[in-house]
């Protein structure tokens, strides 16, 4: 779809150059709102080691679009590995209804 293509075309080159903040700015400009595009962007940021930079921009209800629970779980699981401090901050801002608690306990 068009949003996904735009995300890959504009965001990935920035991430390849280590410009996560510019990539975040592009995401904000594009206004990606559908869950599939967000899922792809989350994976893309994670692949390039920039997931901690994206975490605070991941949409959560009621302010943003609700993503599938698995997407939130993936973000939290990866943050637990790559950025525990960002994980703690993210848990403080996301409603507990969007993610699964048991995997975090394990």
């Amino acid at each position: 779809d068009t949003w996904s293509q735009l995300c890959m075309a504009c965001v990935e080159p920035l991430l390849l150059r280590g410009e996560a903040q510019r990539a975040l700015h592009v995401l904000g400009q594009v206004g990606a709102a559908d869950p599939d595009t967000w899922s792809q962007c989350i994976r893309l940021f994670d692949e390039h080691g920039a997931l901690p930079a994206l975490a605070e921009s991941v949409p959560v209800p009621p302010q943003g679009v609700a993503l599938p629970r698995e997407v939130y779980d993936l973000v939290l699981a990866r943050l637990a590995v790559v950025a525990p401090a960002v994980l703690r901050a993210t848990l403080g801002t996301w409603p507990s209804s969007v993610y699964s608690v048991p995997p975090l306990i394990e």
Side-chain angles (χ1 to χ4, degrees), residues 58-84:
V58 174
V60 292
Q63 297 87 2
V65 63
L67 302 176
R69 181 177 300 268
E70 296 79 23
V71 174
Y72 295 114
D73 290 348
L74 172 66
V75 171
L76 295 178
R78 291 297 301 142
L79 287 176
V81 173
V82 300

Side-chain angles (χ1 to χ4, degrees), residues 1-2 8 11-12 15 17 22 25 29 31 39 42 44 51 54 62 72 75 77 79-80 83 86 98 101 105:
D1 103 336
T2 304
M8 294 299 209
V11 172
E12 188 167 28
L15 291 173
R17 292 194 306 262
R22 286 188 65 199
H25 181 73
Q29 296 288 84
S39 294
I42 288 165
L44 192 61
L51 186 59
L54 180 66
Y72 295 114
V75 171
L79 287 176
V86 176
V98 301
V101 174
I105 295 170

Side-chain angles (χ1 to χ4, degrees), residues 14-106:
L14 293 171
L15 291 173
L16 283 168
R17 292 194 306 262
E19 298 182 54
Q21 292 304 315
R22 286 188 65 199
L24 283 171
H25 181 73
V26 168
L27 278 181
Q29 296 288 84
V30 170
D34 69 282
D36 289 338
T37 299
W38 268 105
S39 294
Q40 288 181 353
C41 287
I42 288 165
R43 285 185 189 90
L44 192 61
F45 271 73
D46 188 30
E47 288 170 8
H48 293 281
L51 186 59
L54 180 66
E56 71 180 43
S57 299
V58 174
V60 292
Q63 297 87 2
V65 63
L67 302 176
R69 181 177 300 268
E70 296 79 23
V71 174
Y72 295 114
D73 290 348
L74 172 66
V75 171
L76 295 178
R78 291 297 301 142
L79 287 176
V81 173
V82 300
V86 176
L87 170 65
R88 286 189 295 279
T90 301
L91 288 171
T93 59
W94 286 6
S96 60
S97 60
V98 301
Y99 59 87
S100 304
V101 174
L104 291 174
I105 295 170
E106 297 169 3

